[in-house]
Amino acid sequence: MLLAQNTTFIIGPIAKLLGIIINVIYEGLTYIGIENVALSIILFTVFVQVLMIPLKYKSQKFTRLTAMIQPEIAAIRKKYEGKRDQQTMSLMQQETNEVYRKYGASPTGGCLPMLVQMPILFALYAVIRNVPSYVQGIRGVYEQVAPFVSSEAGVKTLHGIKEVAGVNLQAGNTESVIDWLYNFNIADWQVLVKNVAEVPQAIVDKIVNISRVFGDVLVSDTPWSLIKANGYIHWIWILPILVYVTQMLAMKTAQAKNQMDGPGMNQMKMMNRIMPIMSVVFSIALPVGLGIYWITNSVLMTIQQIFMNRHIDKIGIENIIEKNVKKNESKHERAKEKKGVDSGTVKRAAALNTKSIKENGSTGTPETEQVPAAGTDSIGAIARLTDKYKNE
């Protein structure tokens, strides 16, 4: 196991899985003569977004429904405004649930895509932070350089070229050497070739070309380090600007059909202002590869939102509500059956007069003999089943 791999309970396994997927994409590109980490990240982002289409479509439908539900929810909150006792809160929750049930929606219907994307983002950062740790095809190239700088003298040379935080560089430890080398920029590689004559220039050129985004920028570089090294004048400033613009465009597209009012919407608007700014800060401080992911992701989200909005407009929100309600009713019926309540028996039993049943007992009157037992031992059992169903 490489030293730089993430071992967090959730993020670690996801990062390994992402590494495998990116490695498959990288090997596929290599097969057609294209070896590039940045392009692999872009294609990986497309792959993830395609897989996320069903979840995002469900989330978009929920958001459109929320715009219709919100006025009714606001009216319920106003009705119970200023009351905080347990009974009142319970009544308010029941009425709120009834509104969601009327529209066939769930209060948590829009959360799943976000819950899925966040671990992917953190895991992807772990992968991009040290690609050779996860992508075996790229690791193999670095292994051709590591033996030349794994000695005591080689480690001393690496320290002299650049200090890398978070990596425990050890002589004879190939993994730590590869972790260290991945943090080299183009200038660092040139210094290494100059100081260690044994390092093959052809392999260094291959590593640089694999990691190159454009010009002198590698996927492992941080924009801030490049900006400082070039007197704060460098084209890499375009990256955080594109991150901001594409995220704002994606959010505007998502909100185009979802106009809502109220405190919840105000909070959402505030988050929509803050999140792109935070992304800009992160894209300056973190590896370039992560910025590439954000830009690609936002562009794809914008395209998806446009087509999803058109599709929802075409089929009609009323039809979506009707379909959701029927689907929820079907689920409710299946849940009843799992509890041992047969819907056909319940409907027949519900037609009986429970009071008459209790008075007649199980004497076999014509009225009760017309109702099939459906697996019960007596009419009294059917009556109990009916009462149970009514109470549920």
Side-chain angles (χ1 to χ4, degrees):
M1 179 180 291
L2 296 187
L3 300 180
Q5 280 197 348
N6 188 295
T7 57
T8 307
F9 174 66
I10 296 177
I11 304 303
I14 296 176
K16 289 181 180 180
L17 176 61
L18 299 188
I20 293 171
I21 297 172
I22 294 176
N23 186 66
V24 170
I25 295 172
Y26 174 78
E27 293 290 352
L29 290 173
T30 301
Y31 182 77
I32 61 175
I34 303 173
E35 296 179 84
N36 189 266
V37 180
L39 184 56
S40 298
I41 292 172
I42 291 172
L43 293 179
F44 165 79
T45 310
V46 174
F47 172 77
V48 171
Q49 285 296 323
V50 170
L51 290 182
M52 291 283 290
I53 286 176
L55 288 177
K56 290 197 172 184
Y57 179 62
K58 183 178 180 180
S59 176
Q60 183 66 7
K61 288 193 298 182
F62 171 79
T63 306
R64 294 284 289 270
L65 287 174
T66 302
M68 301 178 66
I69 294 171
Q70 196 62 34
E72 296 185 38
I73 300 296
I76 292 172
R77 289 175 179 169
K78 186 175 181 180
K79 175 181 176 182
Y80 294 101
E81 190 175 4
K83 300 177 182 179
R84 291 292 180 267
D85 59 279
Q86 185 175 355
Q87 183 178 4
T88 300
M89 296 301 291
S90 178
L91 288 171
M92 185 173 72
Q93 185 62 46
Q94 289 178 19
E95 291 188 28
T96 301
N97 290 339
E98 284 299 322
V99 172
Y100 278 103
R101 190 176 295 116
K102 182 175 70 174
Y103 288 92
S106 168
T108 59
C111 300
L112 189 56
M114 181 63 71
L115 292 176
V116 172
Q117 287 185 85
M118 289 306 293
I120 291 177
L121 180 61
F122 289 128
L124 186 64
Y125 166 66
V127 175
I128 294 174
R129 183 173 175 270
N130 201 310
V131 170
S133 297
Y134 296 92
V135 184
Q136 294 303 309
I138 296 173
R139 170 180 164 80
V141 184
Y142 279 83
E143 285 179 335
Q144 298 178 53
V145 175
F148 299 105
V149 288
S150 294
S151 63
E152 292 285 352
V155 167
K156 186 176 180 180
T157 300
L158 293 179
H159 274 293
I161 296 174
K162 187 172 191 172
E163 289 295 330
V164 178
V167 179
N168 183 20
L169 182 59
Q170 301 173 4
N173 189 315
T174 302
E175 286 79 7
S176 68
V177 170
I178 292 175
D179 292 345
W180 197 275
L181 291 173
Y182 180 71
N183 289 273
F184 274 20
N185 57 34
I186 293 177
D188 297 330
W189 282 110
Q190 292 173 347
V191 174
L192 179 63
V193 172
K194 183 178 179 180
N195 292 342
V196 184
E198 295 82 2
V199 174
Q201 179 68 56
I203 300 301
V204 170
D205 291 342
K206 184 175 183 178
I207 290 174
V208 169
N209 289 330
I210 286 173
S211 301
R212 193 191 303 273
V213 176
F214 186 79
D216 61 339
V217 177
L218 305 183
V219 74
S220 57
D221 290 332
T222 62
W224 185 241
S225 65
L226 294 170
I227 290 167
K228 288 195 300 181
N230 290 272
Y232 302 94
I233 300 175
H234 194 279
W235 69 264
I236 200 62
W237 278 111
I238 296 174
L239 183 77
I241 293 173
L242 286 176
V243 167
Y244 180 82
V245 171
T246 54
Q247 283 205 3
M248 288 297 296
L249 182 61
M251 290 180 178
K252 291 288 185 183
T253 306
Q255 295 170 14
K257 298 284 184 175
N258 307 315
Q259 299 300 324
M260 294 184 292
D261 296 315
M265 189 56 186
N266 292 334
Q267 293 175 5
M268 185 177 295
K269 288 180 179 178
M270 182 62 68
M271 285 187 62
N272 289 344
R273 293 191 191 102
I274 294 175
M275 288 301 293
I277 295 174
M278 290 180 61
S279 297
V280 168
V281 174
F282 289 145
S283 66
I284 292 175
L286 300 178
V288 169
L290 203 61
I292 293 173
Y293 168 79
W294 268 326
I295 293 169
T296 308
N297 191 62
S298 297
V299 170
L300 292 174
M301 284 178 61
T302 301
I303 296 172
Q304 285 180 353
Q305 290 288 349
I306 292 172
F307 282 97
M308 286 180 185
N309 286 337
R310 289 179 179 176
H311 180 69
I312 292 173
D313 288 339
K314 183 178 179 180
I315 63 179
I317 194 68
E318 295 80 8
N319 292 329
I320 291 176
I321 293 172
E322 183 180 354
K323 185 177 179 181
N324 286 350
V325 170
K326 289 181 179 179
K327 185 177 180 181
N328 288 345
E329 287 178 352
S330 177
K331 286 182 179 180
H332 186 67
E333 287 296 325
R334 288 197 297 269
K336 292 289 184 184
E337 291 175 4
K338 285 182 180 180
K339 291 180 181 180
V341 182
D342 178 73
S343 59
T345 300
V346 169
K347 289 178 180 178
R348 291 190 296 271
L352 297 174
N353 186 307
T354 306
K355 182 178 179 181
S356 298
I357 293 173
K358 290 179 180 178
E359 291 176 353
N360 294 334
S362 56
T363 58
T365 63
E367 180 185 9
T368 59
E369 287 176 352
Q370 293 175 359
V371 182
T376 58
D377 295 330
S378 66
I379 296 177
I382 297 178
R384 289 192 297 272
L385 183 61
T386 304
D387 291 339
K388 175 184 176 184
Y389 180 78
K390 288 179 178 179
N391 291 331
E392 290 183 340

